[in-house]
Amino acid sequence: MKQRIITGVIAAVLFIGITLYGSWPFSLLILLLTGIGMFELLRMKRMELSFVGGIGFLLAVLIALPQDWMSSLEPFTKTDAIILAVLLLLVVTVVQKNNTDYNHISFVLFSAIYVGFGFFYLLETRILEGGVQLLFLILFMIWATDSGAYFVGKSIGKRKLWPVISPNKTIEGAVGGIFFSLVVGLISYFTHFVDMSLSNILLISIIVGIFGQIGDLAESAFKRIYDVKDSGTLLPGHGGILDRLDSALFVFPLLHVLHLIG
């Protein structure tokens, strides 16, 4: 627990400081996290040192690039990059004489899109007008959901939520997580932390409370499939980058796609 607290405090100070500063240091931080997150997924599949894994790694980082950085590559777009990666991976299957199959290709492409766009939309949130407050609000909701689900589940949780994937999560805990997310949303509204209507904040709170937990379960499913306890060991006491940001990688793209932010 001591190690967990120390790691959490150091990581929080660094992340908050760089996020508040913004500009290119924040963009570089996001790209670094993208690379680490993609590496963690590739390592689960034991593909981190493969040529195919390298293609996926580069694709994830390219997808996560800020829009203003991508403009320097025009007319090349992220869609072009995805199509080119698909074609290149198909070429690899021929050259390697079926040692690389569709299972490997699917995993690499899915992982690159999941991690790349997850971090890209986190970055896109930061550069919005009032983006710092909005970014932290959503992160506070995610952390409140996680904490609420844990403490409510430990206190009164009896009915298992999804024992095959995560045996310790309960339905009572899940409801508690949504409630805590709503509390954070209400506090932010009455303290004018963000310039947003009450209905929009409450809607975002509910979506974060529900889908933040689904994002966590999705990453747990990855770990179950590939029989690993944590996605990585970068953060002592916490696991890897994906262990800490799995909910964020689900929530931020969803909120942008639903046009609730952005």
Side-chain angles (χ1 to χ4, degrees), residues 137-138 141 178 181-182 185-186 196-211 251 254-255 258-261:
L137 171 61
I138 295 170
M141 288 178 177
I178 298 170
S181 179
L182 281 166
L186 288 172
M196 192 179 292
S197 67
L198 178 60
S199 60
N200 203 30
I201 286 181
L202 292 178
L203 181 57
I204 290 174
S205 300
I206 293 172
I207 289 175
V208 171
I210 294 173
F211 290 97
V251 165
L254 180 61
L255 292 176
L258 295 177
H259 299 288
L260 293 173
I261 59 177

Side-chain angles (χ1 to χ4, degrees), residues 35-239:
I36 295 172
M38 185 63 188
F39 181 81
E40 289 177 353
L41 278 177
L42 290 172
R43 187 166 55 185
M44 288 186 197
K45 184 75 170 169
R46 294 181 174 83
M47 295 179 63
E48 70 272 22
L49 299 179
S50 67
F51 180 72
V52 171
I55 295 173
F57 181 89
L58 292 175
L59 179 61
V61 173
L62 185 60
I63 290 173
L65 279 179
Q67 283 297 96
D68 56 338
W69 292 16
M70 276 299 298
S71 62
S72 63
L73 301 176
E74 289 180 350
F76 190 72
T77 67
K78 294 182 180 183
T79 301
D80 294 333
I82 295 172
I83 293 173
L84 186 61
V86 171
L87 297 176
L88 183 56
L89 288 169
L90 289 173
V91 170
V92 171
T93 64
V94 176
V95 173
Q96 293 190 347
K97 300 178 180 179
N98 290 329
N99 287 326
T100 297
D101 57 26
Y102 280 107
N103 180 37
H104 297 95
I105 292 176
S106 300
F107 178 86
V108 166
L109 289 174
F110 177 84
S111 298
I113 291 171
Y114 161 56
V115 174
F117 278 115
F119 280 110
F120 169 73
Y121 281 112
L122 196 154
L123 179 62
E124 283 289 286
T125 303
R126 170 61 181 82
I127 65 177
L128 293 172
E129 183 178 352
V132 175
Q133 294 91 331
L134 185 57
L135 175 65
F136 279 117
L137 171 61
I138 295 170
L139 290 176
F140 289 154
M141 288 178 177
I142 290 173
W143 296 334
T145 298
D146 187 48
S147 299
Y150 175 80
F151 288 112
V152 173
K154 290 285 281 186
S155 301
I156 61 173
K158 294 181 180 179
R159 292 171 291 182
K160 298 296 183 180
L161 178 65
W162 213 300
V164 175
I165 294 177
S166 187
N168 294 325
K169 292 189 185 333
T170 64
I171 294 176
E172 293 83 359
V175 174
I178 298 170
F179 174 77
F180 273 65
S181 179
L182 281 166
V183 169
V184 170
L186 288 172
I187 292 173
S188 71
Y189 175 76
F190 288 112
T191 58
H192 305 289
F193 186 70
V194 292
D195 183 17
M196 192 179 292
S197 67
L198 178 60
S199 60
N200 203 30
I201 286 181
L202 292 178
L203 181 57
I204 290 174
S205 300
I206 293 172
I207 289 175
V208 171
I210 294 173
F211 290 97
Q213 295 185 72
I214 291 177
D216 180 55
L217 286 169
E219 210 255 329
S220 294
F222 270 123
K223 292 187 289 187
R224 288 277 175 181
I225 292 171
Y226 297 108
D227 194 27
V228 295
K229 181 178 184 296
D230 295 314
S231 66
T233 58
L234 182 66
L235 304 171
H238 292 266

